[in-house]
């Protein structure tokens, strides 16, 4: 007497594991991230076909190094956007930290630690100042940090007379930060990995991260739940100041001197664009570090590819602006919110 063994199917009640596992994997990656991965692969393939050297290891390292500063700022921009805020002044914060690091280094007799400590100190002060103005001055974050964009840029130009300051490449620590490698990867990239991983773990696995999402999602409910919103906002802006200072130190190490504006202008647009492309809802409460890093990689490859192909650098600004608008439009469509001035 023969017997037949029924195969596990949806009809006889047994789960179809491959489909379930595949769906679980796709859900964990996220539709937004899958779109970014697809776009990144497309950009890599396109410029790889146009230029044989584009996909070389050397050029990939160039892209990674160039994207590090943007990546650092995009990571903390993600945090503040999730929290329901925004920081348009991050580029100017990088500039002032870069100048201070080089000037303190020179004044302290070529002491790299003095330069780094001074930059971190000014970063914390600027970040707390932004937070205090927003929280206790009750100023809209966009307006407050837009004012900071102009003010911090002006301060950097005043203290430096609008010129590059100092020379740091005679110091081993600055050379290591700007040009050193660990296990084949630039030190700058390792620093981005450490910061991004730390922030990701903070957001995903701690009460602090859950509270940040709660504040951005519904600040009234968060306040009623006992979350000290003021403390969180000031702390988040202080974190931005610290990471912007680190970016300023890396800018100094990479260029060899303190840069008041060169290398830092436009960083705020890149950081916000990366965060928005990565899935951050500009109204707060949604976003993640993984998507932001994918967007940073996409922007870095696009910028490098356009440069390698000799395309006018002005088009890079056009591309960034277009990508930011596209990201916001996609968010609005997905949320189902009515556009201003248009019927529902």
């Amino acid at each position: 007497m023969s017997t037949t063994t029924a195969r596990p199917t949806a009809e006889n009640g047994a789960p179809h594991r491959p489909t379930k596992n595949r769906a679980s994997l796709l859900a964990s990656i996220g539709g937004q991230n899958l779109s970014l991965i697809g776009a990144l692969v497309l950009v890599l393939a396109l410029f790889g076909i146009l230029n044989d050297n584009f996909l070389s290891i050397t050029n990939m390292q160039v892209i990674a190094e160039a994207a590090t500063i943007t990546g650092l700022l995009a990571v903390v921009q993600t945090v503040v956007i999730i929290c329901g805020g925004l920081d348009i002044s991050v580029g100017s914060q990088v500039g002032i930290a870069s100048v201070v690091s080089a000037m303190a280094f020179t004044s302290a007799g070529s002491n790299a630690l003095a330069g780094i400590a001074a930059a971190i100190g000014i970063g914390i002060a600027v970040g707390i100042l932004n937070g205090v103005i927003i929280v206790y001055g009750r100023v809209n974050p966009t307006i407050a940090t837009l004012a900071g964009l102009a003010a911090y840029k002006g301060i950097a130009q005043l203290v430096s007379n609008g010129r590059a300051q100092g020379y740091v490449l005679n110091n081993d620590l600055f050379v290591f930060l700007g040009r050193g490698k660990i296990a084949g990867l630039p030190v700058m990239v390792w620093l981005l990995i450490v910061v991004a991983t730390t922030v990701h773990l903070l957001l995903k696995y701690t009460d602090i991260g859950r509270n940040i999402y709660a504040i951005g999602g519904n600040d009234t409910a968060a306040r009623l739940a006992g979350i000290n919103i003021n403390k969180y906002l000031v702390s988040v802006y202080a974190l931005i100041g610290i990471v912007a200072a680190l970016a300023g130190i890396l800018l100094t190490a990479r260029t060899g001197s303190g840069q008041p504006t060169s290398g830092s202008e436009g960083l705020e647009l890149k950081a916000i664009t990366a965060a928005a492309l990565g899935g951050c809802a500009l109204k707060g409460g949604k976003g993640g570090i993984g998507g932001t890093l994918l967007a940073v990689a996409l922007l870095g490859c696009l910028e490098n590819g356009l440069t390698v192909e000799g395309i006018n650098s002005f088009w890079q600004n056009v591309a960034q602006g277009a990508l930011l608008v596209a990201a916001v439009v996609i968010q609005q469509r997905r949320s189902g919110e009515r556009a201003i001035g248009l019927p529902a």
Side-chain angles (χ1 to χ4, degrees), residues 194-207 209 289:
V194 169
V195 170
T197 302
T198 302
V199 173
H200 170 73
L201 295 175
L202 179 75
L203 288 174
K204 191 166 184 179
Y205 298 107
T206 70
D207 289 338
I289 302 303

Side-chain angles (χ1 to χ4, degrees), residues 280-323:
C280 281
L282 295 182
K283 290 186 177 181
K286 181 182 177 183
I289 302 303
T292 295
L293 290 180
L294 282 172
V296 168
L298 175 61
L299 291 173
C301 290
L302 183 62
E303 182 176 346
N304 180 270
L306 292 174
T307 301
V308 167
E309 288 304 305
I311 297 173
N312 192 314
S313 61
F314 297 150
W315 283 106
Q316 296 175 16
N317 294 329
V318 174
Q320 288 177 31
L323 285 172

